[in-house]
Amino acid sequence: MNYKKILQKYRKDRTRLIEILKEIQAREGHISEKAIICVADELGLSRAEVEGVISFYHFLSARPLGKYVVYLNNSITAEMAGREKVALAWEREIGCRFGQTSEDGLVTLLETSCIGMNDQEPAAIINGVVFTSLNPDKVKKLVGWMREGRAAEDMVEETGDGANGHELVRAMVRNNIRKTGPVVFGEYVPGQAIGKALETTPECVIDEVKRANLLGRGGAGFPTGLKWEFCRKEKGEQHFVICNADEGEPGTFKDRVILTERPEMVFEGMAIAGYAVGARLGILYLRHEYTYLRRYLEHVLQKMREQGWLGKNIAGRGFDFDIEIKMGAGAYVCGEESALIESAEGKRGEPRDRPPFPVQKGYLNLPSTVNNVETLATATQIITRGASWFRSMGTPVSAGTKLLSVSGDCERPGIYEVEYGLTVKELLEMVGAKDTLAVQVGGPSGNCISEAGFGRKICFSDLPTGGSIIIFNRGRDLFSVVRNFLDFFIEESCGWCVPCRAGNVLLKKKFEKIASGLGTVQDLKEIEAWGKIIKSMSRCGLGQTSPNPVLTTLASFRELYESRVNKEADFIPEFDLSRAVAEASAITGRKFQEEQDHA
Amino acid sequence: MPDKIKFTVDGKECQAEAGMTIYEAAKANGIYIPVLCHYEGLKPVGSCRICSVRVNGRWMAACTQPVTPGMVIENASPDVEEYRKAIIEMLFVEGNHFCPACEKSGNCELQALAYRYQILVPQFPYLFPKKDIEAFPKFLLEHNRCVQCQRCIRAIQAPDGKKVFAMKHRSGRVRINVDRKLAARLSDEEAQKAMDICPVGAILRKEVGFRIPIGRRKYDRRPIGSEIEEKK
């Protein structure tokens, strides 16, 4: 394989390292030692550094993989939808375990964190193609096709609604838009907003967005207008607009639907942001899991260039702005804006220290504004319809509408565009949820609330959310939910700082002690204290929210934890001898009797 | 002096030059904020979080955060010290540290911090991870003791700027990865520098050891941080 040719294609640009590695892997199935050496030498990097990048990302591999690589999602909604049976079916049909490649080298089975398909689980990505609503029969069929050598894209029998059926997408993914609203799914004529923005000054655009009180839709809620203003004021030879399309919070899939159905609105928002901050280039950082949308999005960009909404001299007003797409490679932490920038520069997606903030030193150390997909789409509508129109919706603090990705135990999972201020109870009725035990608002990093909190409002001042809403009914075991979320954070920690890297493993250990009935009142105190330490001491938002699955269920469902702990004992060891030898006892048929009298 | 910044640490009025980090500013005022990943002259990375302080109610890493006028910094509050102690304990349980058998004993900053914080038994359960020892021409890399402080990554580079040490993997699997080709070219002095800069006994020179007997080493004589506190 001629690696040098690939490197030349990317102009030996170090910031394109991830793309280079992905192309090599796409052609050869993995990134061999030979490839690593060549890439390192040509880019002026050490081999260790290239290995560091490959090993950071879930979808890059230095070891050979099968002809088909199955990434089965392991999120909680997948579990609820029967993931275990599907996983067993894969293992049975292929003849190897998850984490392994079949002996004939045909299939590799791997697990992966949430792929943004929560309303159509269990789902998997096979050679870049998404397969939803899997069951053991479908698995059998897919494996049969694999044995025949059918290409993954030819295994899609029926495509989903909307642009999912476009010839450049051809995905079986469904949009499941259950409720449209006036902003993201409102009336929209492409090109209007950018034209209108260019008639005014950048300062006026910023003012309008500020007056609209648009807060970041990714979850953190930073005022968008202010962010643009800070970015504009920074000196730098170039400014950048980055659209964060790395939605990785388990349970969120609204950006996927926006990019499928409203890509022009997002790209237009990027151009408006570009005009506001003084940027000529925008980057759409698209998560690897949504690779299937890439060709379609490139096509939309090209169409927009042809129509004069992107490229040189937009709308004849002398403003140049273009957008390129950069792909992620599988890392939840890259949704954090500074980690995203590192990744976009072709490095390990490790968050940066702040200050300096991305608006000061972002992409290539130049002023950059990083905005969520929904934020940018919303900005487009604000420019067209005006700030007061926008503020007439929602609450005084949280203006406008929010897209919610609803999954779990309800009749109508999918996308809902609702005004801020909606109560959880109203939402539950809207989606057809019955006998609800708990609602996870904002994904694992958010808040788990019980019935006592169903009167609370979805808005920035009460229950903020990037859009993830997962519903659990009374038949569910909350401990398995917490366990799934803790495993997620342990896996997705970048490993940079101690409290997140080690603390979360310890927190999980303590959780398992309590869950298995070996906990005491002291253990409950300790798990809470440890959670607070991790929250306080961690370096970035991932670590600072990672104990939330424990801390928020402790707050909402304390009685559940209390029912599991032994209230009399001062101390129970974590190690339970009779439990540890139970399997061996069962196999040998010999009963193990714990000595009753330790004294 | 122009551009002096006023701030307080545990109620004590302090002054420092603009542009200093909280750690440096405290140090200039004779106040020790414990650090482990930080090393004078290297770009701070804020990975260990031991230097965390509370500023106006918010937690910050003193090694990376610039001091600003009017900051009210808590460095000795009981919970600040308690949380730091927890971080040190986390480092002990996520690795395999056997001080009496370690060449770095007495010169080890992790051990010295454990003494300073009077850690007898960590509050966390030991994780007993399986980690390897790797050998290179000039040094050994003892992964069992590595705390991922990244000092070696920052301090040792090839003449053309390439990284000899780099991070590999993520989460609890994260390891220091050595570029074999570049490591083979390190001089004795560079290998010694790598060992000296390592706060623990993860990087060890080959064929030399125990030159100074245990009991007469740096932190056997004086506790860590005393060099700063004595300047007061």
Side-chain angles (χ1 to χ4, degrees), chain B residues 165-180:
Chain B
F165 299 86
M167 296 277 261
K168 195 173 178 182
H169 303 297
R170 69 182 190 203
S171 67
R173 299 187 304 276
V174 78
R175 297 285 183 277
I176 294 296
N177 185 25
V178 177
D179 193 293
R180 287 203 169 263

Side-chain angles (χ1 to χ4, degrees), chain A residues 171-452:
Chain A
M172 64 192 290
V173 179
R174 302 194 61 82
N175 287 330
N176 288 336
I177 301 168
R178 309 285 183 176
K179 186 183 181 308
T180 57
V183 182
V184 176
F185 293 117
E187 199 185 308
Y188 167 63
V189 183
Q192 251 182 19
I194 183 69
K196 201 174 163 193
L198 293 178
E199 283 167 20
T200 63
T201 64
E203 286 79 8
C204 286
V205 171
I206 290 172
D207 273 350
E208 193 69 14
V209 175
K210 274 167 88 175
R211 265 206 308 279
N213 194 19
L214 172 60
L215 306 178
R217 264 43 181 168
F222 192 84
T224 306
L226 209 57
K227 198 184 249 187
W228 290 1
E229 188 174 57
F230 288 154
C231 187
R232 175 167 188 83
K233 281 184 180 159
E234 283 296 324
K235 287 198 174 65
E237 52 187 273
Q238 218 182 326
H239 289 56
F240 294 100
V241 173
I242 300 174
C243 174
N244 184 347
D246 194 53
E247 66 170 346
E249 189 70 44
T252 325
F253 47 88
K254 49 112 190 157
D255 290 343
R256 175 207 0 121
V257 178
I258 298 174
L259 288 169
T260 308
E261 295 306 319
R262 288 287 201 227
E264 295 91 351
M265 198 190 273
V266 178
F267 294 145
E268 206 172 334
M270 289 175 75
I272 291 164
Y275 182 61
V277 306
R280 294 161 54 99
L281 182 68
I283 295 167
L284 175 78
Y285 183 92
L286 185 65
R287 73 185 300 218
H288 173 90
E289 291 81 345
Y290 297 165
T291 302
Y292 74 96
L293 288 172
R294 184 178 181 163
R295 282 203 303 159
Y296 175 66
L297 293 172
E298 296 279 14
H299 162 77
V300 172
L301 285 174
Q302 190 51 38
K303 249 178 35 194
M304 288 180 74
R305 284 181 201 114
E306 284 160 16
Q307 276 155 325
W309 302 327
L310 282 177
K312 290 232 177 297
N313 194 20
I314 295 174
R317 298 225 161 232
F319 171 60
D320 300 346
F321 186 81
D322 212 333
I323 294 170
E324 63 176 66
I325 300 175
K326 283 214 171 198
M327 300 301 300
Y332 166 71
V333 71
C334 290
E336 196 279 343
E337 58 177 2
S338 66
L340 184 150
I341 288 168
E342 286 285 300
S343 181
E345 290 178 358
K347 301 179 199 154
R348 291 164 62 85
E350 293 156 330
R352 294 177 178 174
D353 290 301
R354 275 146 301 176
F357 292 89
V359 288
Q360 302 167 294
K361 284 184 178 189
Y363 184 64
L364 307 178
N365 277 327
L366 292 165
S368 309
T369 174
V370 183
N371 296 109
N372 172 264
V373 171
E374 188 182 350
T375 309
L376 289 162
T378 304
T380 302
Q381 294 289 59
I382 288 171
I383 295 303
T384 314
R385 312 270 179 89
S388 17
W389 165 80
F390 188 72
R391 292 199 70 151
S392 70
M393 296 171 281
T395 72
V397 175
S398 314
T401 64
K402 180 81 192 85
L403 254 60
L404 300 177
S405 322
V406 180
S407 64
D409 295 315
C410 65
E411 281 164 13
R412 294 176 293 279
I415 297 293
Y416 292 77
E417 183 175 346
V418 301
E419 283 188 40
Y420 276 111
L422 186 82
T423 65
V424 175
K425 190 165 179 282
E426 286 163 342
L427 177 68
L428 290 174
E429 278 162 20
M430 198 183 283
V431 304
K434 289 192 187 89
D435 206 20
T436 304
L437 170 73
V439 182
Q440 188 75 29
V441 182
S445 70
N447 201 338
C448 183
I449 55 167
S450 64
E451 200 169 354

Side-chain angles (χ1 to χ4, degrees), chain A residues 7 9 31 104 230 265 276 365 370-371 390-391 464 471 486 509 521:
Chain A
L7 283 151
K9 181 178 154 192
I31 304 148
D104 56 4
F230 288 154
M265 198 190 273
N365 277 327
V370 183
N371 296 109
F390 188 72
R391 292 199 70 151
I471 300 163
L486 292 178
K509 237 174 134 56
V521 176

Side-chain angles (χ1 to χ4, degrees), chain A residues 46-48 51-52 55-56 330 348 353 355 490-493 496-498 501 509 530 536-537 539, chain B residues 45-47 49 59 64-65 83 94 123-124 127 148 150 163 167-171 173 177 179 182:
Chain A
S46 72
R47 217 172 118 178
E51 286 167 348
S55 59
F56 187 85
R348 291 164 62 85
D353 290 301
I490 288 171
E491 171 59 30
E492 295 298 335
S493 166
W496 183 288
C497 78
V498 182
R501 178 182 74 226
K509 237 174 134 56
W530 295 3
S536 310
M537 306 292 264
R539 183 163 171 261
Chain B
V45 294
S47 70
R49 317 306 287 176
W59 292 89
T64 56
Q65 193 73 31
Y83 282 20
E94 78 152 356
Q123 61 180 307
F124 306 110
L127 296 173
Q148 269 81 38
Q150 306 182 33
K163 285 185 180 171
M167 296 277 261
K168 195 173 178 182
H169 303 297
R170 69 182 190 203
S171 67
R173 299 187 304 276
N177 185 25
D179 193 293
L182 299 179

